[in-house]
Amino acid sequence: MSENVLSIKKLNVSIGEKHILHDIDLTVDSGEVHVLMGPNGAGKSTLGSAVVGNPAYKTESGKIIFMGQDITNAAPDKRARAGIFMSFQNPPEIGGVSLSSFLRTAVEQRRSQRVKLWEFKKELNEAMELLEMDPSYADRELNVGFSGGEKKKSEILQMLLLKPSLAVLDETDSGLDVDAVRIVSKGIKEYVENYGGSLLVITHSTRILEAISVDRTHVLVGGRIIKSGGAELVNEINENGFAEFENS
């Protein structure tokens, strides 16, 4: 029997005075790939932010259960150490901290122990090679001066090293060319197939889904999940768009 990695129950979320998510129910089991799709402004990114505990978003009611533990009110750093990772649409630039130093610190926080330098470098080099990243980027300031594609690769690099139980990918393919999507997808496939991680992919496109096997698809419109199905729902959206859901 599959283990529930993430269980969202009747979740209502607001930002400021605006109520965005309404009674969201969503369960992701171990090793599953779920896709959350919907038109712009539907609340997709809000749901991802709520899962990772972004303090800008207020949970009005409902629960978020991760690995059997209620994390509804847990701080973002506690969720990250527990094994939740999120890749952002626009990864921030952090001056004065190298990509390598940032990653080593994050890995040690995740594992709750020191990591030998040679061991870390070996893992880092292997992951960078998989993502076709220039090794010199490891010594550069985190995302500073990176192209859009390199920033997204940097996010997937973090995911591969941290090995989270759940990865939330928010519009990871946004702004990427065909080659960059191929490379990023290769990293995502590695995470799913070889690390056994669970994935929640937030997207309004489907290019990044071509390299992975989708278990469940959810359509979010107006802050509500109005339809769920299998991978065939992705094909339906590709053919017909979101108009039928927006008018339902």
Side-chain angles (χ1 to χ4, degrees):
M1 185 176 180
S2 297
E3 178 185 11
N4 289 162
V5 171
L6 177 69
S7 182
I8 299 173
K9 302 177 180 180
K10 300 297 179 185
L11 187 68
N12 289 270
V13 175
S14 62
I15 181 168
E17 299 298 318
K18 186 175 182 181
H19 195 92
I20 300 177
L21 298 181
H22 310 271
D23 293 329
I24 299 296
D25 287 312
L26 180 66
T27 298
V28 179
D29 287 343
S30 178
E32 286 189 338
V33 175
H34 285 234
V35 178
L36 184 66
M37 303 187 73
N40 290 332
K44 302 186 301 297
S45 294
T46 296
L47 181 55
S49 296
V51 170
V52 299
N54 186 328
Y57 297 86
K58 181 181 179 181
T59 296
E60 300 286 355
S61 61
K63 289 186 177 182
I64 302 174
I65 309 297
F66 177 66
M67 305 295 286
Q69 300 296 315
D70 188 343
I71 62 165
T72 309
N73 299 310
D77 62 323
K78 182 176 181 180
R79 301 185 196 207
R81 288 195 299 270
I84 299 178
F85 170 86
M86 185 170 183
S87 170
F88 297 95
Q89 292 186 47
N90 300 299
E93 297 184 1
I94 302 177
V97 179
S98 71
L99 174 60
S100 177
S101 295
F102 172 81
L103 287 173
R104 189 180 181 193
T105 299
V107 168
E108 290 180 339
Q109 288 288 321
R110 168 78 172 115
R111 299 179 187 178
S112 298
Q113 64 181 25
R114 295 285 294 174
V115 177
K116 294 180 180 178
L117 182 59
W118 66 266
E119 179 183 338
F120 169 75
K121 285 188 172 181
K122 180 175 182 293
E123 290 185 40
L124 177 62
N125 290 336
E126 289 175 351
M128 292 187 78
E129 183 176 355
L130 175 72
L131 295 172
E132 301 178 30
M133 292 183 71
D134 186 327
S136 67
Y137 275 76
D139 298 319
R140 291 178 57 175
E141 293 178 305
L142 180 60
N143 291 330
V144 176
F146 286 25
S147 68
E150 293 299 338
K151 285 184 178 180
K152 297 298 178 71
K153 288 182 186 179
S154 172
E155 293 278 280
I156 301 303
L157 178 66
Q158 293 174 44
M159 180 182 73
L160 291 177
L161 289 177
L162 291 172
K163 300 178 177 63
S165 299
L166 173 70
V168 180
L169 305 185
D170 187 9
E171 305 286 3
T172 300
D173 56 348
S174 176
L176 299 184
D177 61 27
V178 174
D179 288 335
V181 170
R182 174 186 59 81
I183 294 168
V184 166
S185 296
K186 185 165 61 172
I188 295 170
K189 185 177 182 180
E190 173 78 7
Y191 165 74
V192 173
E193 294 185 353
N194 295 327
Y195 298 168
S198 301
L199 200 61
L200 177 60
V201 182
I202 299 171
T203 184
H204 63 267
S205 175
T206 58
R207 293 185 304 166
I208 205 166
L209 304 177
E210 294 174 2
I212 55 179
S213 177
V214 174
D215 295 293
R216 296 286 291 169
T217 306
H218 312 279
V219 180
L220 187 71
V221 176
R224 300 179 185 275
I225 293 180
I226 62 171
K227 186 172 184 179
S228 295
E232 73 282 350
L233 189 50
V234 173
N235 297 326
E236 181 182 334
I237 292 170
N238 273 337
E239 293 178 7
N240 305 316
F242 296 111
E244 66 173 292
F245 302 112
E246 293 176 298
N247 297 326
S248 62

